[in-house]
Amino acid sequence: MLPSRRGRPARVPAACVLLLAASVTVAGCGDTGGLRSAGPTSTAVSPARLWPDLTPASSPAYDIGEVDHEVVEGVAVPGGDIRRADPLAAVRAEIAAHPKDYAGDKAPYRETARRMADCGAAGESARCPVLKPYYRDLTGDGRAELTLGFRLLPAKMTAVRVYSVEKGRLVRVMSYEDAVSAVELAGRSLIVRSPSEVAGYEYRLQWTWDPDQNAMLLTHDEMLRTGDAAGAKHPSASPTASPSVSPSASPSASTR
């Protein structure tokens, strides 16, 4: 969860003296504009460790794919400039690498593969599953990364990917798919919002660049109140994001 930020209590002076050039006047403090107490501060409570005799785990029970760092084969990056790499080629490379997901009448994302034929350019066709690409420096090296989204159909999900360039090769450094409500770029982080089964709440997941892993790591995973509990709809157990959802970026994010 994001840590709460509390301001430190301000110090109140014992007296306030106002000196004028012509005369010296002592003005009292505590009148209009003076500081007022916000009330007593809650007593700090240290964390209570549960089950201290429990043997610490040495390895994860499940592989949830914390680190994604994979070279995308067959996609050229002319001059090492990611803006010159073809976003459609990146998606086609992923489709080719996972035929069980995209090929055949029973593949879960078969419609995505079929609609790639409708793509003249990413994000420029209503039937093209690839959304408009966004470019921003997420690693801090002064070069832009590519944030790309594409619809997973007919499952009504959205795949979100981040690509970087290493030694002239396109490298995927973040991968996630879900029923997505919105995608945001904030600083050097990528934020995905998804609907929750709990009325009036949504999931907020944040990935941030980690130089030690050379990848975007999931740094925050939380459930937030949306402020619409009365009118909120419960999504079904299966993802139900509209295929027309496209990622949004902060005003400073640049597009192609």
Side-chain angles (χ1 to χ4, degrees):
M1 299 288 291
L2 287 172
S4 61
R5 299 193 299 175
R6 296 174 184 244
R8 288 181 293 181
R11 295 181 179 179
V12 181
C16 185
V17 180
L18 178 63
L19 298 179
L20 299 178
S23 62
V24 179
T25 304
V26 179
C29 295
D31 298 326
T32 302
L35 298 177
R36 296 181 180 181
S37 173
T41 302
S42 301
T43 303
V45 179
S46 61
R49 182 180 178 185
L50 307 185
W51 308 301
D53 298 329
L54 186 66
T55 302
S58 58
S59 61
Y62 305 101
D63 179 11
I64 59 174
E66 291 96 339
V67 179
D68 190 348
H69 183 276
E70 183 177 347
V71 175
V72 181
E73 301 292 347
V75 180
V77 187
D81 183 359
I82 200 167
R83 294 176 183 271
R84 299 176 63 188
D86 185 359
L88 298 179
V91 177
R92 290 191 175 103
E94 182 166 335
I95 291 174
H98 301 87
K100 291 184 179 180
D101 292 333
Y102 296 95
D105 293 337
K106 295 184 179 181
Y109 312 138
R110 58 191 178 275
E111 190 63 24
T112 295
R114 293 169 182 168
R115 290 196 185 186
M116 289 301 294
D118 298 316
C119 297
E124 293 184 4
S125 170
R127 285 187 54 82
C128 177
V130 183
L131 305 174
K132 181 173 65 175
Y134 287 84
Y135 299 90
R136 176 183 281 190
D137 179 11
L138 296 174
T139 66
D141 63 356
R143 299 183 302 173
E145 273 64 53
L146 163 63
T147 300
L148 190 61
F150 58 95
R151 303 180 183 95
L152 297 174
L153 305 171
K156 296 183 179 179
M157 296 172 63
T158 302
V160 181
R161 306 286 188 261
V162 175
Y163 301 91
S164 186
V165 176
E166 293 183 11
K167 298 179 180 179
R169 301 181 300 176
L170 189 69
V171 178
R172 188 177 66 241
V173 296
M174 180 267 176
S175 176
Y176 182 72
E177 50 272 332
D178 200 350
V180 172
S181 302
V183 181
E184 304 166 356
L185 291 175
R188 293 178 183 169
S189 296
L190 181 142
I191 299 168
V192 176
R193 298 179 184 271
S194 298
S196 166
E197 287 285 350
V198 181
Y201 289 81
E202 68 176 2
Y203 292 110
R204 180 186 183 276
L205 295 88
Q206 177 176 325
W207 283 262
T208 305
W209 175 255
D210 186 287
D212 294 329
Q213 299 297 328
N214 286 324
M216 303 283 288
L217 300 187
L218 180 60
T219 52
H220 294 83
D221 183 352
E222 55 188 346
M223 179 182 283
L224 298 177
R225 193 176 187 89
T226 62
D228 189 25
K233 296 181 179 179
H234 291 271
S236 62
S238 59
T240 57
S242 170
S244 62
V245 173
S246 60
S248 61
S250 63
S252 60
S254 59
T255 63
R256 187 173 61 176

PDB file of all heavy atoms in Angstrom, residues 163-176:
ATOM      1  N   TYR A 163       8.583  -1.743 -23.547  1.00  0.00           N
ATOM      2  CA  TYR A 163       9.777  -2.199 -24.254  1.00  0.00           C
ATOM      3  C   TYR A 163      10.889  -1.169 -24.117  1.00  0.00           C
ATOM      4  O   TYR A 163      10.646   0.042 -24.102  1.00  0.00           O
ATOM      5  CB  TYR A 163       9.483  -2.407 -25.743  1.00  0.00           C
ATOM      6  CG  TYR A 163       8.392  -3.410 -26.036  1.00  0.00           C
ATOM      7  CD1 TYR A 163       7.065  -2.998 -26.151  1.00  0.00           C
ATOM      8  CD2 TYR A 163       8.676  -4.765 -26.201  1.00  0.00           C
ATOM      9  CE1 TYR A 163       6.054  -3.908 -26.423  1.00  0.00           C
ATOM     10  CE2 TYR A 163       7.675  -5.681 -26.473  1.00  0.00           C
ATOM     11  CZ  TYR A 163       6.368  -5.246 -26.583  1.00  0.00           C
ATOM     12  OH  TYR A 163       5.360  -6.150 -26.851  1.00  0.00           O
ATOM     13  N   SER A 164      12.115  -1.680 -24.034  1.00  0.00           N
ATOM     14  CA  SER A 164      13.293  -0.837 -24.023  1.00  0.00           C
ATOM     15  C   SER A 164      14.242  -1.338 -25.109  1.00  0.00           C
ATOM     16  O   SER A 164      13.937  -2.308 -25.810  1.00  0.00           O
ATOM     17  CB  SER A 164      13.970  -0.894 -22.641  1.00  0.00           C
ATOM     18  OG  SER A 164      15.043   0.020 -22.573  1.00  0.00           O
ATOM     19  N   VAL A 165      15.388  -0.672 -25.237  1.00  0.00           N
ATOM     20  CA  VAL A 165      16.385  -1.083 -26.224  1.00  0.00           C
ATOM     21  C   VAL A 165      17.703  -1.360 -25.510  1.00  0.00           C
ATOM     22  O   VAL A 165      18.173  -0.537 -24.712  1.00  0.00           O
ATOM     23  CB  VAL A 165      16.597   0.005 -27.298  1.00  0.00           C
ATOM     24  CG1 VAL A 165      17.701  -0.408 -28.265  1.00  0.00           C
ATOM     25  CG2 VAL A 165      15.298   0.255 -28.054  1.00  0.00           C
ATOM     26  N   GLU A 166      18.261  -2.524 -25.769  1.00  0.00           N
ATOM     27  CA  GLU A 166      19.562  -2.895 -25.216  1.00  0.00           C
ATOM     28  C   GLU A 166      20.443  -3.425 -26.334  1.00  0.00           C
ATOM     29  O   GLU A 166      20.072  -4.391 -27.013  1.00  0.00           O
ATOM     30  CB  GLU A 166      19.411  -3.954 -24.124  1.00  0.00           C
ATOM     31  CG  GLU A 166      18.713  -3.473 -22.869  1.00  0.00           C
ATOM     32  CD  GLU A 166      18.652  -4.543 -21.799  1.00  0.00           C
ATOM     33  OE1 GLU A 166      19.337  -5.592 -21.965  1.00  0.00           O
ATOM     34  OE2 GLU A 166      17.914  -4.364 -20.804  1.00  0.00           O
ATOM     35  N   LYS A 167      21.573  -2.779 -26.534  1.00  0.00           N
ATOM     36  CA  LYS A 167      22.531  -3.195 -27.558  1.00  0.00           C
ATOM     37  C   LYS A 167      21.846  -3.323 -28.930  1.00  0.00           C
ATOM     38  O   LYS A 167      22.100  -4.270 -29.678  1.00  0.00           O
ATOM     39  CB  LYS A 167      23.194  -4.517 -27.175  1.00  0.00           C
ATOM     40  CG  LYS A 167      23.991  -4.434 -25.878  1.00  0.00           C
ATOM     41  CD  LYS A 167      24.614  -5.772 -25.522  1.00  0.00           C
ATOM     42  CE  LYS A 167      25.405  -5.680 -24.215  1.00  0.00           C
ATOM     43  NZ  LYS A 167      26.005  -6.989 -23.850  1.00  0.00           N
ATOM     44  N   GLY A 168      20.963  -2.382 -29.213  1.00  0.00           N
ATOM     45  CA  GLY A 168      20.288  -2.352 -30.498  1.00  0.00           C
ATOM     46  C   GLY A 168      19.150  -3.333 -30.654  1.00  0.00           C
ATOM     47  O   GLY A 168      18.575  -3.444 -31.737  1.00  0.00           O
ATOM     48  N   ARG A 169      18.800  -4.031 -29.574  1.00  0.00           N
ATOM     49  CA  ARG A 169      17.716  -5.021 -29.640  1.00  0.00           C
ATOM     50  C   ARG A 169      16.522  -4.564 -28.814  1.00  0.00           C
ATOM     51  O   ARG A 169      16.679  -3.940 -27.765  1.00  0.00           O
ATOM     52  CB  ARG A 169      18.196  -6.382 -29.138  1.00  0.00           C
ATOM     53  CG  ARG A 169      19.366  -6.959 -29.920  1.00  0.00           C
ATOM     54  CD  ARG A 169      19.764  -8.319 -29.371  1.00  0.00           C
ATOM     55  NE  ARG A 169      20.161  -8.229 -27.958  1.00  0.00           N
ATOM     56  CZ  ARG A 169      20.484  -9.299 -27.222  1.00  0.00           C
ATOM     57  NH1 ARG A 169      20.445 -10.512 -27.765  1.00  0.00           N
ATOM     58  NH2 ARG A 169      20.838  -9.148 -25.964  1.00  0.00           N
ATOM     59  N   LEU A 170      15.324  -4.910 -29.300  1.00  0.00           N
ATOM     60  CA  LEU A 170      14.100  -4.595 -28.568  1.00  0.00           C
ATOM     61  C   LEU A 170      13.936  -5.594 -27.429  1.00  0.00           C
ATOM     62  O   LEU A 170      13.983  -6.810 -27.635  1.00  0.00           O
ATOM     63  CB  LEU A 170      12.891  -4.652 -29.507  1.00  0.00           C
ATOM     64  CG  LEU A 170      11.577  -4.128 -28.929  1.00  0.00           C
ATOM     65  CD1 LEU A 170      11.639  -2.615 -28.734  1.00  0.00           C
ATOM     66  CD2 LEU A 170      10.405  -4.485 -29.839  1.00  0.00           C
ATOM     67  N   VAL A 171      13.720  -5.081 -26.208  1.00  0.00           N
ATOM     68  CA  VAL A 171      13.603  -5.931 -25.028  1.00  0.00           C
ATOM     69  C   VAL A 171      12.317  -5.594 -24.293  1.00  0.00           C
ATOM     70  O   VAL A 171      12.042  -4.424 -24.013  1.00  0.00           O
ATOM     71  CB  VAL A 171      14.811  -5.738 -24.081  1.00  0.00           C
ATOM     72  CG1 VAL A 171      14.654  -6.602 -22.831  1.00  0.00           C
ATOM     73  CG2 VAL A 171      16.102  -6.066 -24.793  1.00  0.00           C
ATOM     74  N   ARG A 172      11.523  -6.607 -23.996  1.00  0.00           N
ATOM     75  CA  ARG A 172      10.307  -6.402 -23.200  1.00  0.00           C
ATOM     76  C   ARG A 172      10.699  -6.400 -21.726  1.00  0.00           C
ATOM     77  O   ARG A 172      11.302  -7.351 -21.235  1.00  0.00           O
ATOM     78  CB  ARG A 172       9.282  -7.488 -23.470  1.00  0.00           C
ATOM     79  CG  ARG A 172       7.934  -7.200 -22.811  1.00  0.00           C
ATOM     80  CD  ARG A 172       6.897  -8.255 -23.155  1.00  0.00           C
ATOM     81  NE  ARG A 172       7.252  -9.554 -22.597  1.00  0.00           N
ATOM     82  CZ  ARG A 172       7.479 -10.636 -23.321  1.00  0.00           C
ATOM     83  NH1 ARG A 172       7.403 -10.598 -24.641  1.00  0.00           N
ATOM     84  NH2 ARG A 172       7.790 -11.778 -22.751  1.00  0.00           N
ATOM     85  N   VAL A 173      10.339  -5.318 -21.018  1.00  0.00           N
ATOM     86  CA  VAL A 173      10.730  -5.185 -19.617  1.00  0.00           C
ATOM     87  C   VAL A 173       9.528  -5.147 -18.671  1.00  0.00           C
ATOM     88  O   VAL A 173       9.704  -5.035 -17.458  1.00  0.00           O
ATOM     89  CB  VAL A 173      11.597  -3.919 -19.409  1.00  0.00           C
ATOM     90  CG1 VAL A 173      12.906  -4.029 -20.166  1.00  0.00           C
ATOM     91  CG2 VAL A 173      10.837  -2.659 -19.828  1.00  0.00           C
ATOM     92  N   MET A 174       8.320  -5.246 -19.209  1.00  0.00           N
ATOM     93  CA  MET A 174       7.128  -5.294 -18.375  1.00  0.00           C
ATOM     94  C   MET A 174       6.000  -5.918 -19.171  1.00  0.00           C
ATOM     95  O   MET A 174       5.837  -5.648 -20.362  1.00  0.00           O
ATOM     96  CB  MET A 174       6.741  -3.890 -17.905  1.00  0.00           C
ATOM     97  CG  MET A 174       5.492  -3.810 -17.027  1.00  0.00           C
ATOM     98  SD  MET A 174       4.006  -3.500 -18.046  1.00  0.00           S
ATOM     99  CE  MET A 174       2.716  -3.583 -16.799  1.00  0.00           C
ATOM    100  N   SER A 175       5.214  -6.780 -18.500  1.00  0.00           N
ATOM    101  CA  SER A 175       4.117  -7.470 -19.183  1.00  0.00           C
ATOM    102  C   SER A 175       2.993  -7.718 -18.190  1.00  0.00           C
ATOM    103  O   SER A 175       3.226  -8.205 -17.074  1.00  0.00           O
ATOM    104  CB  SER A 175       4.613  -8.807 -19.755  1.00  0.00           C
ATOM    105  OG  SER A 175       3.545  -9.529 -20.336  1.00  0.00           O
ATOM    106  N   TYR A 176       1.773  -7.353 -18.595  1.00  0.00           N
ATOM    107  CA  TYR A 176       0.615  -7.569 -17.733  1.00  0.00           C
ATOM    108  C   TYR A 176      -0.637  -7.578 -18.592  1.00  0.00           C
ATOM    109  O   TYR A 176      -0.711  -6.866 -19.593  1.00  0.00           O
ATOM    110  CB  TYR A 176       0.512  -6.464 -16.680  1.00  0.00           C
ATOM    111  CG  TYR A 176      -0.638  -6.645 -15.708  1.00  0.00           C
ATOM    112  CD1 TYR A 176      -0.602  -7.634 -14.737  1.00  0.00           C
ATOM    113  CD2 TYR A 176      -1.754  -5.821 -15.771  1.00  0.00           C
ATOM    114  CE1 TYR A 176      -1.655  -7.800 -13.842  1.00  0.00           C
ATOM    115  CE2 TYR A 176      -2.811  -5.972 -14.878  1.00  0.00           C
ATOM    116  CZ  TYR A 176      -2.752  -6.965 -13.917  1.00  0.00           C
ATOM    117  OH  TYR A 176      -3.792  -7.126 -13.042  1.00  0.00           O
TER     118      TYR A 176
END
